[in-house]
Amino acid sequence: MQLYNTLSAEERAIMIDDAGKQRLTLSFYAYAKIQDPKKFRDDLFVVWNALDALGRIYVAKEGINAQMSIPEENLEAFRETLEVYDFMKGIRLNEAVEHDDHSFLKLTIKVRDKIVADGLNDETFDVTDIGVHLKAREFNQILDDPNTIVVDFRNHYESEVGHFKNAITPDVETFRESLPIINEQLQNHKEDKNLVMYCTGGIRCEKASAYFKHQGFKNVYQLEGGIINYAKQLKEEGLESKFIGKNFVFDNRLGERITEDIISQCHQCGKACDNHTNCENDGCHLLFIQCDECKAAMENCCSTECLDIIHLPLVDQVRLRTGKQVGNKVFRKGKSENLKFKHSGELADTVLAAAEKSEAKPADIRQKIKVKKALLGKAEHYYVKAKVGQFTVENQTLQIGDKILISGPTTGEQELILGKMIVNGAETTIANIGDKVTFEVPFRIRLSDKLYKIVN
C-alpha cells in the first residue's frame, strides 16, 4: 500500500502537463477530535492518491488543515472521501480565485501537534466559543462602522502585498506572535469596539476569535472562509472589494490577485511589484518580492552573495551549507538587510501602480525546475571500459540529435546530445517504447539513474 510520494515534483509536473486536464486549487479545515491522527493520515493518503489529489495537509488530534490541487473531473469523488467522516460532512471547500495546474506537485500529509501553530494551551479556554462569522457583504458593512477595529492575523510578508483598508497589520513572522501583541494593543477597547479579524482561509481566526473572547472582548467577528472565500463572494454578488492588492497563498503560485492595485515594491529596486520569489540559493531560500527586471539580472537571487554561490559547482555549494540549517528552518520570512525596499508593520493603503489586465503568470512557477523534461526510461547497466550506458525506453521515443539528461542522486544532472546509439543490438536512429538502448556516456551511471528528454 502506497503511503508516501514516489514521484519527484519534476516528474509530477510532466505528468500533469501530459494529462492536459483542468485542476482546481482549494483549501479547507475542520476542528474535531481525532483519536488516531496517524491512521487518519494514512487512510486519507490512500484514497486521495488514487484520485491524483495533491497538496499540503496537516492533521492532528484537534482536526485537519488542507490546501490542495484536485483534477476537476475528480472533485465529486473527492467530496465523497470527506463525507465518510461526520465532522467533514458538508464542509466548505474554498476554491481559489486563480487556478493553476502546478499549484501543488506532491501529496504531503503530515501529523502535527496542532493544525496551526498558535502557542496556546487549549485546555485553558473554550476553543469552540468562537466569534461571529461574517459573509463578504456583512464584512463590508461592519468595516464601515466607526466603532470597528479590523485586524490582519497573517504575517508581514502576506499583508505587505495585500490587506483590507485601514487594517492593523502586525509586524510578525508567525501567527502565535500576533496574539499577545494585539491583546495588549487593544486592552482599552474590549467592550466599546467591534474586534473584526481576517486571515487567508479562516482557520487562524477560528482559534484567535475564541482566544480574544476568553480575554474579555465582547464583540468579536471573523471573516467566514477568509480572503479566499471573500474574493469568491465578491465575484458572485458583484460587491465592492475593501481588500486591496494580492492575497498571498501557500502554494507554488505564492499569490492570487484580488484587485488590480499594487501596493508593494520590489525589495531590490523599489519598482511597484507584488510578485514573491524564493532565493535560488539552496542555502538561503529567502522569501522576498522581486520584479521581472531584477529577477533576470539577479537570477532569482536576493543578493550578490547568493548570486555568486549559485554559479559555483554543486559540490562547493553543498560544502558551504554543510552543518548549517537550510530549507524551511531558515526561511527568514522575507527580512534581510539586503532588502532595501521591504515594508512591514503599519502599512499604508497607498496604491503604487495598477497590474496590467493581461498580466501574465510567472514564466516558471516551479522555480526549482530549471529544465522541462520528459521521462524516457531508466538505467540498466554501465560498461566501465567502453564508457557505454544501457537504458530501457519506457515512455515516448528517443532519436539521434535529442538533447537528453541523465539524473540520479549520485550522478547529479548531466546533459548530452545523443549522437550514436545501438537499439536492441543494431545501430539505428530511433528507439521506441520497450527497446534496449546503449550509447556512449562520458561519466559513470548508476542503476538508480533515470533518462529524460529535454523538451523546452
Side-chain angles (χ1 to χ4, degrees):
M1 181 176 11
Q2 184 181 336
L3 296 175
Y4 299 93
N5 285 286
T6 58
L7 296 174
S8 67
E10 293 95 329
E11 291 169 327
R12 178 69 70 176
I14 292 167
M15 289 178 64
I16 290 173
D17 289 340
D18 290 344
K21 297 178 180 178
Q22 173 68 54
R23 298 183 68 91
L24 304 176
T25 302
L26 52 86
S27 62
F28 63 92
Y29 66 88
Y31 280 98
K33 298 288 185 182
I34 298 176
Q35 297 300 322
D36 189 345
K38 175 63 167 59
K39 182 180 184 303
F40 178 61
R41 177 260 175 219
D42 291 347
D43 290 345
L44 291 180
F45 192 98
V46 171
V47 295
W48 287 352
N49 187 57
L51 294 174
D52 193 24
L54 307 173
R56 185 184 303 111
I57 301 95
Y58 300 129
V59 298
K61 288 186 175 180
E62 67 173 359
I64 181 170
N65 180 17
Q67 295 86 41
M68 303 188 69
S69 167
I70 312 291
E72 185 175 31
E73 63 183 22
N74 292 345
L75 182 58
E76 289 310 311
F78 177 76
R79 287 184 187 274
E80 291 175 6
T81 69
L82 305 180
E83 295 289 324
V84 170
Y85 302 94
D86 288 339
F87 70 90
M88 289 197 286
K89 287 185 182 295
I91 194 170
R92 180 187 63 247
L93 301 180
N94 284 337
E95 287 194 20
V97 177
E98 301 171 350
H99 295 291
D100 188 283
D101 291 344
H102 298 138
S103 58
F104 290 100
L105 295 174
K106 289 188 178 183
L107 176 59
T108 304
I109 310 178
K110 295 184 177 181
V111 176
R112 292 284 180 85
D113 292 332
K114 288 194 170 188
I115 54 177
V116 175
D118 51 39
L120 299 175
N121 181 354
D122 293 355
E123 304 300 321
T124 61
F125 66 103
D126 183 359
V127 296
T128 66
D129 184 20
I130 60 176
V132 177
H133 281 193
L134 299 176
K135 296 186 182 300
R137 187 181 299 275
E138 300 166 321
F139 195 81
N140 279 358
Q141 291 171 348
I142 203 168
L143 292 187
D144 290 334
D145 187 333
N147 287 319
T148 289
I149 296 176
V150 59
V151 180
D152 190 328
F153 275 98
R154 301 173 303 151
N155 306 324
H156 65 81
Y157 54 91
E158 300 173 79
S159 57
E160 184 178 10
V161 295
H163 53 261
F164 279 96
K165 297 173 184 177
N166 302 314
I168 295 174
T169 53
D171 186 11
V172 297
E173 293 191 3
T174 63
F175 171 53
R176 70 172 66 194
E177 293 176 61
S178 63
L179 296 173
I181 291 174
I182 296 300
N183 187 35
E184 176 65 27
Q185 190 172 341
L186 303 182
Q187 274 295 308
N188 297 327
H189 299 292
K190 290 186 175 182
E191 298 190 12
D192 66 331
K193 297 290 185 181
N194 299 319
L195 175 55
V196 179
M197 56 187 66
Y198 69 91
C199 56
T200 307
I203 187 170
R204 283 177 270 192
C205 293
E206 288 287 298
K207 190 63 71 71
S209 65
Y211 169 77
F212 281 100
K213 289 186 72 174
H214 173 69
Q215 293 296 319
F217 288 82
K218 301 300 182 185
N219 307 304
V220 180
Y221 302 87
Q222 63 191 94
L223 179 58
E224 183 179 86
I227 302 164
I228 295 173
N229 199 41
Y230 177 84
K232 182 181 178 183
Q233 292 178 25
L234 292 184
K235 288 190 173 183
E236 292 175 346
E237 302 179 35
L239 303 174
E240 172 196 2
S241 177
K242 292 187 179 292
F243 184 96
I244 53 175
K246 181 182 283 188
N247 180 29
F248 183 94
V249 293
F250 294 88
D251 57 56
N252 290 329
R253 296 172 299 154
L254 294 179
E256 55 181 18
R257 185 158 300 288
I258 308 300
T259 71
E260 302 305 317
D261 306 305
I262 296 177
I263 62 173
S264 54
Q265 297 173 279
C266 171
H267 288 163
Q268 293 175 317
C269 72
K271 176 183 176 180
C273 177
D274 54 12
N275 293 326
H276 278 98
T277 190
N278 280 118
C279 181
E280 188 71 19
N281 175 16
D282 285 335
C284 176
H285 278 184
L286 180 72
L287 178 69
F288 67 108
I289 297 173
Q290 188 177 48
C291 69
D292 290 342
E293 289 80 2
C294 289
K295 181 182 285 287
M298 297 296 293
E299 298 180 42
N300 284 10
C301 290
C302 70
S303 64
T304 54
E305 292 81 4
C306 286
L307 182 60
D308 290 340
I309 288 173
I310 68 168
H311 288 149
L312 294 174
L314 182 59
V315 64
D316 292 334
Q317 294 185 45
V318 173
R319 178 179 53 78
L320 285 174
R321 60 179 184 266
T322 298
K324 300 178 181 179
Q325 287 187 325
V326 297
N328 290 329
K329 295 181 180 179
V330 292
F331 261 8
R332 285 180 291 158
K333 307 297 185 185
K335 288 190 175 180
S336 167
E337 61 184 17
N338 293 317
L339 306 180
K340 302 184 185 305
F341 295 92
K342 163 69 183 172
H343 301 290
S344 60
E346 187 175 342
L347 299 172
D349 297 335
T350 306
V351 176
L352 302 179
E356 296 180 11
K357 295 283 185 178
S358 58
E359 181 185 70
K361 293 182 180 179
D364 187 1
I365 203 163
R366 296 159 286 151
Q367 293 182 20
K368 296 301 294 178
I369 304 172
K370 301 180 180 66
V371 176
K372 187 173 182 181
K373 55 188 184 289
L375 180 65
L376 284 172
K378 60 183 180 182
E380 297 287 353
H381 191 72
Y382 183 68
Y383 300 93
V384 179
K385 290 185 178 180
K387 294 185 178 180
V388 168
Q390 183 181 67
F391 300 83
T392 298
V393 179
E394 298 177 338
N395 301 290
Q396 303 192 23
T397 59
L398 176 66
Q399 56 187 350
I400 298 299
D402 281 345
K403 189 173 184 180
I404 59 174
L405 181 144
I406 299 172
S407 176
T410 303
T411 305
E413 294 197 343
Q414 306 286 348
E415 295 183 11
L416 299 170
I417 301 294
L418 187 59
K420 174 183 177 182
M421 66 177 173
I422 306 297
V423 179
N424 300 329
E427 184 175 344
T428 185
T429 60
I430 190 166
N432 297 305
I433 295 174
D435 288 343
K436 297 286 187 183
V437 180
T438 55
F439 52 85
E440 186 175 339
V441 181
F443 49 85
R444 187 183 183 90
I445 63 171
R446 283 85 178 169
L447 294 182
S448 57
D449 289 352
K450 293 183 178 179
L451 176 66
Y452 297 89
K453 181 192 294 186
I454 297 175
V455 295
N456 59 327

